[in-house]
Amino acid sequence: MKCHETVILKIAFGPDGPPARIAEVSTEATDDTAREPGPAVRITWADLPPDIQARVEQIIGGRVIEARSQTQGFSPGTADRVRTGNGLRAFVKAVTPTINQHSAELARQEMRITAAIPGHAPTPRMLGAFDTGDWVVLVLEDVAGRHPRLPWSDADIDTVLAGLDDLVAALTPTPLADAPRAADHLAHDFGGWERIAADPPADLDPWVRAGLPAFRASAARGLAATAAGDTLTHCDLRADNILVRDDGRPVFVDWPWGCVGPAWLDRVLLAVNVLVNGGTADRLLTGLDPEVVTDVVTGLTGYFLDVCRTPPPPGIPAVRAFQRAQADALLPWLKEKLG
C-alpha cells in the first residue's frame, strides 16, 4: 500500500471557548490505494489571510476548527476539508495569482462552470465563492466517499460508467451555453505531434519517429471528432477527480476544464486513466467508434509526450514526470492499435 500525508490544523481556543486561531500544523500518514500521484506543492487553510478565512466561515456558517489538506491533484492552491465548531463541513479551494497565475484563471473558470451545473447532477454543490483579485475561493459541498482504487477494478469501472450516464443526462444540453468548446480547448494539446515532428527529442523511440506522419493525421481526426455534441463534459476525468459515496453513487469533482463536446468524450478520457493505471478499459469503450477512440488517444499521447519536455509550472514541480509516465503507458497501446 502507498501512504500519503494528511495535514491537520489544530485550533487554539480563546478564553471563552470559541476558536481563536490555528495553533499547530501536524501531519499524519494514512494508507491509501485509491489516489494518483499528487505533484503539486499545496498551500493550506493556515496560509489563507484572516479576512479570506473569515469570508469562507461566513459562507459555511461557523468558525473553522479543523482543516485537513488533500495532498493529491495539480493545483498549488488549497484543497482543505474543513469542519466548524457547530459541526458543519465544507471543501475549500483557494488560490492566489502570486503563486500561479494560470491556477487562479482555472479557479475562476471552475467557479463559473460549477455555478451553472444543475443540482441534480452527480457533482458537488457550490455553497459559495468569491474573487477578490488577490484570491479566488470556492466553497463546495464536502463529499464523503472514496476514490476508485488503483489499479482500476471492473466493479469501480461499472460504478463510474453508470454515474457517467447520469452525468451526461444532467448536462445535455449544456447548462452553460458560452462554455468553451472541447475542440478549442484541446486544439493546442492535440498539436503535440506537430511540435514533436518539428523538434524531435533525442530519445524518441524509432517506432514513434517513423510513425510521426500517421500520428499527426490521427490526432487531427481526433480533434475534429471532439467538435460535435452539446454536452458539458468534465474533460479531465481521472480517479482522483471521482468520489464514490458509501451508497455506491459516484460524484465527479473538480471542474476547471469543463467544456462543451460529445457525450462520449469523458468515457474516452476515463479509459485513458484506466489504461495508464493498470486496468481494462474495454467496458468504457463498448459501443464507441474504435477509430475515433484511437484518434483521440493518439492526440492525448502526443500532448503528454510533448509537454513533459517543457519546464514545470510554478508550484507544481513533479507534473512533468507524471505526464511522461502517461505517455510511456499509452505508447504501447497505440503500437498495438496502429501497428
Side-chain angles (χ1 to χ4, degrees), residues 239-283:
D240 61 317
N241 284 336
I242 302 168
L243 288 167
V244 180
R245 298 182 188 268
D246 291 342
D247 63 4
R249 292 179 300 148
V251 179
F252 302 92
V253 306
D254 294 341
W255 283 81
W257 298 108
C259 54
V260 180
W264 50 259
L265 180 58
D266 281 339
R267 286 173 60 186
V268 176
L269 297 178
L270 189 59
V272 167
N273 187 249
V274 172
L275 288 170
V276 301
N277 285 290
T280 303
D282 294 351
R283 305 165 109 80

Side-chain angles (χ1 to χ4, degrees), residues 168 171-172 174 179-183 186 225-235 258-266:
V168 168
L171 300 183
T172 307
T174 174
R181 299 291 309 185
L186 294 170
T226 68
D230 189 31
T231 298
L232 182 62
T233 67
H234 185 283
C235 210
C259 54
V260 180
W264 50 259
L265 180 58
D266 281 339

Side-chain angles (χ1 to χ4, degrees), residues 3 8 12 18 33 35 49 52 79 108 117 140 144 157 172 203 205 211 237 277 286 292 296 298 308 311 337:
C3 289
I8 301 177
T33 59
R35 309 289 298 268
I52 299 298
R108 293 185 176 104
I117 293 176
L140 303 162
I157 290 174
T172 307
D203 63 346
D205 185 294
L237 275 192
N277 285 290
T286 299
V292 170
V296 172
T298 300
C308 71
K337 297 296 180 183

